[in-house]
Amino acid sequence: MKIGNIELHNNLILAPMAGVTDIAFRSLCVSEGADYAVTEMVSVKALEYRNEKTFDLLRTADNEKIKVVQLFGYEPESFANVVQMPELDKFDIIDINMGCPMPKVADNGSGSALMKNMELAREIIKACVNATDKPVTVKFRKGWDDESCNAVEFAKMCESAGASAITIHPRTREQYYSGKADWNIARQIKEAVTIPVIISGDIVDVQSYHKALEITGCDAVMIGRGALGNPSIFSSLRGEKSQYSTYDFIVRHIDILRQYYSDSLIVKYMRKHLLWYLKSYQNSKTIKSEIVTYNSIDEVLNVLKKFFDKET
């Protein structure tokens, strides 16, 4: 599969997830076989205002051979300005978020709210396409609610506006992340357009991976929640076994973050990741309660090492 002139080999992608797909987690997933890992969604308005914390989200790892940034906003002019910023030169693909369901995003007309304003969505895509020679992709949902499931029409619009590929998360905005992803509408989208279609939603293991491709006929899959605490999902989907243990992933995750952030910030930030890393361990209840109270990352690592030594 190709997205514009960018060739994918495994057709496996890590989804953008706010507060999750940091530089370290993306690097781990790429090392396990993800063709690319999308940044956390980045506000075009914040980039225009030169917000320092927002620019932190643009950091990329050395092993990210295909670099993809996801942008959100609602003003075509802002998108056009941002994609031409020097800070975005390193990215190979520009992805536009038209699916985020969170109120703080959708309430100002961004994210999934753009599915209710197709003409504005078209203007945003065209603005990006006209401002860069890089492939522009779009991620969107089934629709705003059950009464407005316009994903097929929206997909056609994206293609006509110049998008090089699209990703469909086949839930409505009103569903957020509940209920089942409607893989059948993803099939309808695949049959309605000629550009590559990526399926996202409810792909959590080898079985669901193959079933999603069989039902939808899509060109690639995007893994979101299935990768939480489990970067090796990409190895397993390629039919391989990861050479790293859960503890290895934790140590590597922290080591990468230490190149950019203080230990005091890392210990707070890693708490949610550590809970995900430990989710499959039946005897982890006590340690999960303990590690969220620690203020030293070295202390966390020491306790985790003892735990994993017992587990193995």
Side-chain angles (χ1 to χ4, degrees), residues 144-178:
W144 181 261
D145 53 29
D146 288 338
E147 284 68 50
S148 57
C149 295
N150 60 339
V152 176
E153 183 183 1
F154 201 86
K156 292 179 180 179
M157 177 277 294
C158 291
E159 181 175 33
S160 67
S164 294
I166 52 178
T167 301
I168 172 65
H169 182 127
R171 286 182 172 89
T172 65
R173 187 270 181 176
E174 292 303 300
Q175 282 183 277
Y176 282 78
Y177 300 98
S178 65

Side-chain angles (χ1 to χ4, degrees), residues 12-29:
L12 299 171
I13 302 162
L14 175 66
M17 291 178 280
V20 177
T21 51
D22 56 67
I23 182 174
F25 190 65
R26 296 199 314 271
S27 179
L28 297 180
C29 291

Side-chain angles (χ1 to χ4, degrees), residues 41 72-74 96-122 124 139-145 148 150 154 157 171-174 176:
M41 62 179 184
F72 78 94
Y74 59 91
I96 307 173
N97 183 308
M98 295 189 176
C100 180
M102 302 310 294
K104 66 180 181 179
V105 174
D107 285 354
N108 71 1
S110 303
S112 56
L114 287 165
M115 296 202 71
K116 298 191 296 181
N117 193 340
M118 198 173 301
E119 284 309 307
L120 178 57
R122 184 195 305 273
I124 289 172
K139 187 167 189 267
F140 57 94
R141 286 186 164 240
K142 180 179 177 180
W144 181 261
D145 53 29
S148 57
N150 60 339
F154 201 86
M157 177 277 294
R171 286 182 172 89
T172 65
R173 187 270 181 176
E174 292 303 300
Y176 282 78

Side-chain angles (χ1 to χ4, degrees), residues 1-3 8 10-13 35-36 165-168 190 196-200 203 209 212-213 216-223:
M1 175 183 132
K2 279 190 171 184
I3 298 178
L8 276 63
N10 299 321
N11 292 9
L12 299 171
I13 302 162
D35 277 297
Y36 65 79
I166 52 178
T167 301
I168 172 65
K190 176 58 186 169
V197 180
I198 302 161
I199 176 64
S200 175
I203 303 167
Y209 163 70
L213 290 178
T216 68
C218 286
D219 302 281
V221 300
M222 181 174 280
I223 310 295

Side-chain angles (χ1 to χ4, degrees), residues 170-284:
R171 286 182 172 89
T172 65
R173 187 270 181 176
E174 292 303 300
Q175 282 183 277
Y176 282 78
Y177 300 98
S178 65
K180 289 186 177 182
D182 183 359
W183 289 345
N184 290 318
I185 201 166
R187 179 79 188 192
Q188 295 174 39
I189 290 171
K190 176 58 186 169
E191 293 172 349
V193 299
T194 61
I195 56 176
V197 180
I198 302 161
I199 176 64
S200 175
D202 292 354
I203 303 167
V204 296
D205 53 26
V206 173
Q207 183 180 7
S208 55
Y209 163 70
H210 288 296
K211 190 174 181 180
L213 290 178
E214 178 186 354
I215 291 175
T216 68
C218 286
D219 302 281
V221 300
M222 181 174 280
I223 310 295
R225 288 176 291 172
L228 297 179
N230 185 28
S232 62
I233 187 173
F234 293 99
S235 295
S236 64
L237 296 184
R238 293 190 299 125
E240 299 179 3
K241 181 175 176 59
S242 175
Q243 61 178 309
Y244 298 106
S245 68
T246 299
Y247 180 71
D248 292 333
F249 281 123
I250 293 171
V251 172
R252 292 172 67 207
H253 198 147
I254 291 170
D255 283 346
I256 296 172
L257 290 178
R258 276 177 156 168
Q259 298 176 37
Y260 307 98
Y261 306 104
S262 67
D263 280 10
S264 59
L265 287 176
I266 294 171
V267 71
K268 295 176 182 177
Y269 173 78
M270 279 297 294
R271 284 170 181 165
K272 59 181 180 292
H273 277 285
L274 291 172
L275 296 179
W276 289 321
Y277 279 122
L278 292 165
K279 65 185 176 183
S280 63
Y281 291 85
Q282 294 182 348
N283 300 321
S284 64

